[in-house]
Amino acid sequence: QVQLVESGGGLVQAGGSLRLSCVASGTTYSINSRGWYRQVPGKQRELVASIIKDASTNYADSVKGRFTISRDNAKNTVYLQMNSLKTEDTAVYYCYHDMGLRRYWGRGTQVTVSS
């Protein structure tokens, strides 16, 4: 079983920064892709950023140039550095890992950006 635990969310003013972390524990294997989604009430969960096996990255257009995804394989951790935050970035941010044919999710961390 794999557990993903996010941290680093919180309340920040517009223009500020936060760094999210997601630590994977349990039996991790063959991680094909991992990254971050976000969701606001009443809307579908949307992909924010992902990093795949060869370390290539992918970002939503709305966060390009402001967010950076990275990983530390030794620590089983994936990060999301969020700079120049906007009020529209307010959401619950969920970490995911694709391993084999399964997708695992964390429970989410709230990010609130005030104006």
Side-chain angles (χ1 to χ4, degrees), residues 14-91:
S17 298
L18 284 174
R19 187 195 196 204
L20 305 183
S21 300
C22 173
V23 180
S25 61
T27 305
T28 59
Y29 59 94
S30 186
I31 299 174
N32 301 311
S33 170
R34 49 188 153 174
W36 299 88
Y37 278 70
R38 66 187 181 188
Q39 188 170 25
V40 297
K43 291 191 176 181
Q44 280 194 325
R45 199 171 287 191
E46 65 168 352
L47 179 66
V48 176
S50 63
I51 185 166
I52 63 173
K53 225 171 184 178
D54 64 358
S56 60
T57 57
N58 180 52
Y59 296 93
D61 287 342
S62 59
V63 307
K64 280 180 183 175
R66 300 188 298 121
F67 290 11
T68 303
I69 189 170
S70 62
R71 67 186 183 189
D72 185 333
N73 291 331
K75 295 182 178 179
N76 283 335
T77 302
V78 60
Y79 303 97
L80 185 67
Q81 178 67 43
M82 305 187 294
N83 298 328
S84 302
L85 282 160
K86 304 176 180 180
T87 55
E88 51 263 44
D89 295 318
T90 295

Side-chain angles (χ1 to χ4, degrees), residues 98-114:
D98 285 341
M99 287 185 278
L101 298 178
R102 286 195 63 177
R103 171 163 288 186
Y104 297 86
W105 292 97
R107 292 192 172 188
T109 184
Q110 176 70 46
V111 171
T112 303
V113 184
S114 64

